[in-house]
Amino acid sequence: MAKMIPMNMVSPPPDLAAISALQSKLVSALRPILPEHALLWEPEDTIPYECDGLAAYKRMPLAVALPETEEQVAQILKVCFAMKIPVVPRGSGTGLSGGAMPISQGLVLSLAKLKKILSIDPFTRTAVVQPGVRNLAISEAASHLGLYYAPDPSSQIACSIGGNVNENSGGVHCLKYGLTLHNVLRVRGILMNGELVEFGSLAPDSPGLDMLAIVIGSEGMLAVVTEVTVKLVAKPKMARVIMASFDDIEKGGNAVAAIIAAGIIPAGLEMMDQATTRAVEEFVNAGYDLEAVAILLCESDGTPEEVAEEIERMTKVLEQSGASGIQISKDETERLKFWSGRKNAFPAAGRIAADYYCMDGTIPRRHIATLLKRIKAMEKKYSLGCLNVFHAGDGNMHPLILFNGGDPDEWHRAEEFGTEILETCVELGGTITGEHGVGIEKINSMCVQFGKEEIESFWGVKAAFDPEKLLNPDKGIPTLSRCAEYGRMRISGGQLPHPELERF
Amino acid sequence: MSSSNTDPKIDAFRAQILHAAKNKTPLSIEGGGTKSWYGNTNTYSKLDTRAYSGILEYQPEELVITACAGTPLKEIEAALKDKNQVLAFEPPHFGEHATFGGAIAAGLAGPGRISAGNFRDFVLGTRILDGKGQDLSFGGKVMKNVAGYDVSRLMPGSMGTLGLLLEASLKVLPKPAGTATLRCQISQEKALHILNEWAGQPLPLSASCWIGNPNEEGQLTIRLAGAIAAIKAAIPLMSASVNASEVDPQSAEIFWNNLREHQLSCFGNLAADQTLYRLALPAACGPLTIPGASNEIVLEWHGQQRWIKAPGDEATFTLIKQLISSHGGHATRFKQGANVNSAFERFTLLSEQVHSKALEAVQARLRSAFDPAGVFATKRLP
């Protein structure tokens, strides 16, 4: 795809000899710190690290370090700090915004080997874990105590808690149980200069400004996470889900608002459009109503008495909102069946199209129908299909744009399609990213959501933690010159969001 | 994005900020003045936020309210009550004229904090004027938003030392369908134990308060909130294990409100040489013995927030800080008796805590990024 890039946009060819010299210097500086197997620099070893879950953007790093202790993390950072080599922290590499994409003249710092659950305390309902521990592994380890870790991103089987902290990950249950921010008490980390710090504490608050709040969701740009203390909550005794069909998108959107307005906070409130239900039904045979324009999944959890009361209230609201069909899960098997389509929306998209591009905007709930109609029009404009799945309860939507990556023009259109969706989210009073992060992918859209002064302030925050701007410096926050360039590109039209990057 | 609409009131704030920046004289931000005794004292000139008042947007089905900093807190709570919604973390007013902005700057939370979360958990977005007079907006009005650093959530508890808050959007929640309050006599140790056990079970436990003498039985009051059926099922279960009885709803409401507002008798009668200390502690911390403390103590948040009255001198505070830090918490001089030196530092410093020394430099740089001239450098929060 490199041939598509207009010549005037290509950065000067990298000086290979200089890069190779820098690589040798870095490798010899890191060797004394790390065991042999924990430092990779040959291309065949580092190629698995060239991208994260957003495979469209890739770059090769100078080297990859896989420390096994917190002390090694600190020493690696001290070396890079002294050599002024940028560092890209990486968890499981499941991120969807390119936040862990390497920097050509930088180091990838993988925390994957720090994967011990250090302690679980049922009395204080807390677990202390290393950053490489998988999200789901925490809940599994606490399960016998009747406890679990609430945030459940779709990738929870693979994604790491360190990555969750950096992205402030959500999931299908965060309307009721909160995001990572609401479920983490303390983060231990290393600053770029190698200093150990703790953000937050086991107490309900800490002295000074609330820095834990700004570190969570900071996309690996402020500190490298080496230990996380999470809150565990009591496992609900049971859960039931209502599956409601709607013959009109407007009615479905209004039903979401009506449930909230009735004073109910469902454990999960998800919406799928017709294109999605048709795609997933073929895949999972969950018995979805294929005639429905939209399907709502509305879950209640708690004690049996609580669930019975809430299901009754929710059913009433859904009926009043004009649902054309309502099914309530009879048992756990049926509940999981109803959910199976929603949980498999991504693989189903992968089945009906060669590639899909997952977006992550958030809008006020009342605009759900408006946005869906606008996306419908964009499908025509870009001649590409789109499946819409929503965390409807919190207005966070994941349109999956279907395209064929083998066709450069289709990928180009998919990117433009995605950018237009995000800009529509901002226009409707929402945001360009609800839970996937800005990373490298949405860095231009940041220029649309924020003004020059806010972006300057973000750089001020960055510099407070990392004055040399060495920690994941090309992610999350655009430079002002980048925004100016993007503004010009938008006027001239038709340019790729990232002409400097190699694609596929 | 920066708001383009100009408001003469905001222009006046900006003029005051730019004037202060030029003269290198900090401004002490104030709303209704109901918490003026909280935090380190200063004699700088005031910036009064009350002119900028009003609810800007409130749509109950969005669970979000946006209001100006100078809006009376009671006006916000009345608007929410009208739609059967609440600020679930129950910020204390400490006076009739408490403002929205003042409550955010203080960052304090009431009895519901232990189950609902703290103030910053509910902040979705803010609009501020920084020390250069720049009009900045962070976050937004939606539940999930990870675009840019979450600067908004730095505002609760920042005590006006980071910037001038103009507006904020908060997440609100429906009022629980039902509530019930239970009360029993129990020792501090047993209370701490049973509260933590309950908190790990699927029970609708929403708040707790133990009041008594450290070595005797005291009064434990607990609040249940949630689905009516869940409360009905929990009452016999929880009552039986501690021999508790139900408090009538009206007295219960008065009790929880008095606790939130520090109107219970145990918060009164602060002797002239005493300080009311606030202790923030991990759940694991058992009963503590504080030298020189008055007999009656108050435990909230299942023991994670404790109130004690003890001598206000430096030596006592040093001892308390050491003891609380050794348990992984921190202590605050919350309220001072008439004869306690008002110049004393009220907070535990970052440098006094393990592993937060490096944060001191980060925090200083963070403040100067928003406020290079030190317009908000009142040291009200160190």
Side-chain angles (χ1 to χ4, degrees):
Chain A
M1 275 176 83
K3 65 176 184 282
M4 300 176 53
I5 300 171
M7 284 313 287
N8 62 348
M9 297 297 291
V10 179
S11 16
D15 181 344
L16 291 178
I19 286 183
S20 161
L22 190 62
Q23 186 183 50
S24 309
K25 255 178 80 182
L26 176 64
V27 168
S28 30
L30 293 178
R31 263 187 171 153
I33 300 170
L34 291 163
E36 203 174 328
H37 60 266
L39 182 61
L40 317 173
W41 70 91
E42 297 291 354
E44 65 265 32
D45 296 326
T46 59
I47 203 157
Y49 297 88
E50 67 175 351
C51 65
D52 60 13
L54 183 68
Y57 298 144
K58 46 186 70 165
R59 229 164 19 195
M60 289 291 279
L62 284 181
V64 178
L66 297 120
E68 289 159 354
T69 65
E70 184 179 68
E71 178 54 31
Q72 287 171 358
V73 175
Q75 288 189 30
I76 293 166
L77 288 171
K78 276 181 194 156
V79 163
C80 292
F81 183 73
M83 294 177 71
K84 299 212 185 310
I85 287 184
V87 173
V88 177
R90 180 186 168 101
S92 299
T94 55
L96 292 171
S97 57
M101 187 186 75
I103 293 173
S104 306
Q105 309 207 8
L107 176 79
V108 167
L109 179 57
S110 166
L111 284 309
K113 288 194 173 181
L114 288 163
K115 57 177 180 192
K116 280 201 268 304
I117 294 177
L118 299 172
S119 64
I120 291 183
D121 182 353
F123 184 70
T124 61
R125 290 98 54 211
T126 51
V128 183
V129 302
Q130 290 188 319
V133 170
R134 290 176 305 112
N135 172 298
L136 190 59
I138 303 173
S139 293
E140 283 169 353
S143 176
H144 69 286
L145 302 165
L147 300 169
Y148 78 115
Y149 175 63
D152 58 344
S154 303
S155 56
Q156 71 175 152
I157 194 164
C159 65
S160 69
I161 188 71
N164 289 179
V165 165
N166 278 301
E167 302 297 330
N168 192 15
S169 307
V172 296
H173 291 103
C174 59
L175 179 63
K176 183 169 174 181
Y177 294 100
L179 307 162
T180 304
L181 173 87
H182 305 106
N183 290 279
V184 164
L185 297 173
R186 178 174 65 183
V187 167
R188 197 171 146 103
I190 314 280
L191 298 178
M192 186 63 217
N193 65 6
E195 275 183 288
L196 174 73
V197 282
E198 280 187 8
F199 305 99
S201 75
L202 299 182
D205 37 57
S206 307
L209 296 173
D210 191 348
M211 305 234 245
L212 177 63
I214 204 152
V215 165
I216 294 178
S218 63
E219 303 197 28
M221 293 182 278
L222 302 183
V224 175
V225 176
T226 54
E227 191 184 293
V228 185
T229 306
V230 300
K231 222 158 57 173
L232 301 173
V233 292
K235 269 199 287 191
K237 285 190 182 148
M238 68 170 304
R240 290 178 82 186
V241 65
I242 305 173
M243 181 163 75
S245 311
F246 289 87
D247 56 13
D248 177 84
I249 208 85
E250 205 95 39
K251 284 187 202 160
N254 292 341
V256 171
I259 285 174
I260 306 287
I264 305 167
I265 303 290
L269 183 53
E270 299 282 313
M271 190 169 173
M272 294 187 285
D273 69 356
Q274 195 170 29
T276 309
T277 47
R278 288 188 174 171
V280 297
E281 181 61 19
E282 219 176 295
F283 191 52
V284 299
N285 299 313
Y288 291 135
D289 176 357
L290 299 180
E291 297 313 308
V293 174
I295 282 183
L296 271 187
L297 291 170
C298 188
E299 183 157 278
S300 169
D301 68 7
T303 59
E305 301 86 4
E306 213 171 354
V307 172
E309 180 180 321
E310 212 169 67
I311 289 280
E312 195 188 316
R313 290 174 69 199
M314 295 193 298
T315 308
K316 206 178 279 172
V317 176
L318 290 166
E319 278 167 0
Q320 282 164 357
S321 305
S324 55
I326 285 182
Q327 273 182 274
I328 302 166
S329 65
K330 286 188 290 289
D331 51 32
E332 191 60 11
T333 317
E334 195 170 58
R335 186 182 79 87
L336 295 174
K337 196 172 97 180
F338 287 177
W339 274 110
S340 65
R342 170 62 189 88
K343 299 243 173 188
N344 284 295
F346 289 25
R351 235 173 126 252
I352 60 168
D355 298 279
Y356 62 90
Y357 186 34
C358 174
M359 308 312 295
D360 171 49
T362 303
I363 49 165
R365 288 178 201 91
R366 63 184 179 280
H367 294 313
I368 288 176
T370 314
L371 182 68
L372 286 175
K373 284 179 191 162
R374 299 270 290 268
I375 290 177
K376 206 92 214 134
M378 291 179 215
E379 289 187 55
K380 288 203 187 80
K381 178 175 171 188
Y382 296 104
S383 307
L384 293 172
C386 183
L387 306 183
N388 286 292
V389 291
F390 266 74
H391 301 304
D394 40 33
N396 182 208
M397 30 101 44
H398 294 314
L400 303 171
I401 302 167
L402 308 174
F403 69 101
N404 173 9
D407 177 345
D409 189 56
E410 279 208 9
W411 167 234
H412 184 186
R413 292 201 317 268
E415 280 191 293
E416 299 243 297
F417 191 163
T419 304
E420 190 171 338
I421 292 177
L422 297 187
E423 291 178 7
T424 309
C425 290
V426 175
E427 183 198 318
L428 295 174
T431 175
I432 56 170
T433 174
E435 57 183 355
H436 294 174
V438 173
I440 193 79
E441 179 203 25
K442 292 182 271 292
I443 203 156
N444 288 336
S445 299
M446 283 290 284
C447 314
V448 178
Q449 184 162 339
F450 293 100
K452 175 175 165 279
E453 292 82 6
E454 281 92 4
I455 286 174
E456 270 176 337
S457 304
F458 289 144
W459 281 112
V461 172
K462 165 79 174 152
F465 289 79
D466 171 23
E468 311 281 333
K469 298 192 180 73
L470 291 171
L471 203 51
N472 215 8
D474 64 339
K475 313 292 173 8
I477 313 296
T479 59
L480 290 175
S481 61
R482 171 162 213 136
C483 285
E485 181 61 30
Y486 182 61
R488 280 194 291 277
M489 259 168 51
R490 274 155 52 87
I491 292 160
S492 62
Q495 295 294 354
L496 285 173
H498 292 279
E500 76 284 11
L501 293 176
E502 199 182 311
R503 295 165 189 259
F504 285 110
Chain B
M1 204 178 300
S2 301
S3 206
S4 53
N5 56 339
T6 56
D7 181 312
K9 289 166 195 154
I10 294 175
D11 290 340
F13 291 148
R14 184 181 295 111
Q16 211 178 337
I17 288 171
L18 295 177
H19 183 262
K22 202 172 132 203
N23 294 305
K24 305 248 176 261
T25 50
L27 289 170
S28 189
I29 303 170
E30 194 172 279
T34 53
K35 301 170 190 73
S36 54
W37 43 266
Y38 179 52
N40 293 327
T41 51
N42 69 70
T43 53
Y44 300 117
S45 48
K46 301 256 187 273
L47 187 158
D48 187 336
T49 61
R50 284 173 297 179
Y52 195 58
S53 172
I55 294 170
L56 298 170
E57 198 178 338
Y58 173 42
Q59 271 163 322
E61 73 278 11
E62 297 291 342
L63 300 177
V64 179
I65 191 163
T66 304
C68 301
T71 315
L73 188 55
K74 63 180 180 190
E75 182 181 326
I76 289 178
E77 293 198 315
L80 296 177
K81 196 176 173 193
D82 221 32
K83 300 291 178 189
N84 215 23
Q85 294 187 333
V86 291
L87 297 174
F89 52 96
E90 302 178 305
H93 294 232
F94 292 148
E96 205 191 330
H97 302 292
T99 60
F100 186 52
I104 296 172
L108 300 169
R113 187 262 175 263
I114 191 64
S115 53
N118 63 6
F119 207 131
R120 69 107 147 108
D121 288 341
F122 289 83
V123 173
L124 300 174
T126 51
R127 180 178 173 194
I128 66 169
L129 284 185
D130 71 5
K132 293 179 261 183
Q134 298 190 118
D135 187 342
L136 308 172
S137 293
F138 298 104
K141 295 173 184 171
V142 289
M143 298 290 137
K144 281 160 95 179
N145 182 1
V146 293
Y149 301 120
D150 210 347
V151 174
S152 297
R153 297 197 204 259
L154 283 174
M155 299 308 286
S158 65
M159 310 279 289
T161 63
L162 203 55
L164 171 65
L165 183 80
L166 292 175
E167 298 164 11
S169 298
L170 297 192
K171 178 180 175 177
V172 299
L173 284 177
K175 193 171 170 238
T179 55
T181 293
L182 305 177
R183 184 168 283 160
C184 67
Q185 293 293 315
I186 191 172
S187 74
Q188 184 189 177
E189 192 173 3
K190 280 187 183 152
L192 288 171
H193 190 81
I194 192 90
L195 288 167
N196 279 295
E197 283 208 331
W198 280 335
Q201 291 165 23
L203 292 167
L205 181 59
S206 126
S208 70
C209 176
W210 185 90
I211 303 172
N213 297 340
N215 303 315
E216 297 167 22
E217 282 203 335
Q219 179 197 68
L220 173 66
T221 312
I222 60 166
R223 185 175 67 190
L224 310 179
I228 293 162
I231 290 168
K232 274 195 185 143
I235 289 175
L237 202 84
M238 297 171 84
S239 302
S241 60
V242 289
N243 196 19
S245 50
E246 207 172 333
V247 180
D248 75 89
Q250 210 181 351
S251 318
E253 199 182 324
I254 292 170
F255 172 81
W256 292 112
N257 192 57
N258 284 344
L259 173 63
R260 172 182 178 178
E261 300 297 340
H262 283 197
Q263 296 291 322
L264 294 174
S265 61
C266 48
F267 288 105
N269 310 320
L270 189 62
D273 63 347
Q274 274 189 326
T275 285
L276 175 68
Y277 291 93
R278 173 183 184 265
L279 315 179
L281 287 157
C285 186
L288 295 174
T289 307
I290 310 287
S294 291
N295 272 336
E296 200 171 44
I297 62 168
V298 180
L299 272 59
E300 284 188 86
W301 305 355
H302 310 344
Q304 293 184 42
Q305 175 169 265
R306 305 185 192 184
W307 302 99
I308 55 157
K309 285 183 261 182
D313 60 283
E314 288 286 58
T316 305
F317 189 35
T318 303
L319 266 173
I320 291 176
K321 279 192 288 190
Q322 281 166 357
L323 176 70
I324 303 308
S325 292
S326 73
H327 286 274
H330 67 103
T332 306
R333 277 190 165 116
F334 196 72
K335 213 166 189 176
Q336 321 305 313
N339 294 343
V340 176
N341 186 342
S342 66
F344 285 160
E345 174 61 55
R346 307 292 170 90
F347 297 95
T348 299
L349 303 175
L350 283 173
S351 58
E352 292 169 330
Q353 298 246 303
V354 193
H355 303 314
S356 30
K357 281 196 186 77
L359 284 185
E360 216 163 42
V362 174
Q363 183 175 275
R365 287 193 294 261
L366 199 55
R367 282 201 174 115
S368 79
F370 286 94
D371 180 23
V375 175
F376 307 110
T378 57
K379 305 262 190 323
R380 192 158 172 194
L381 176 77

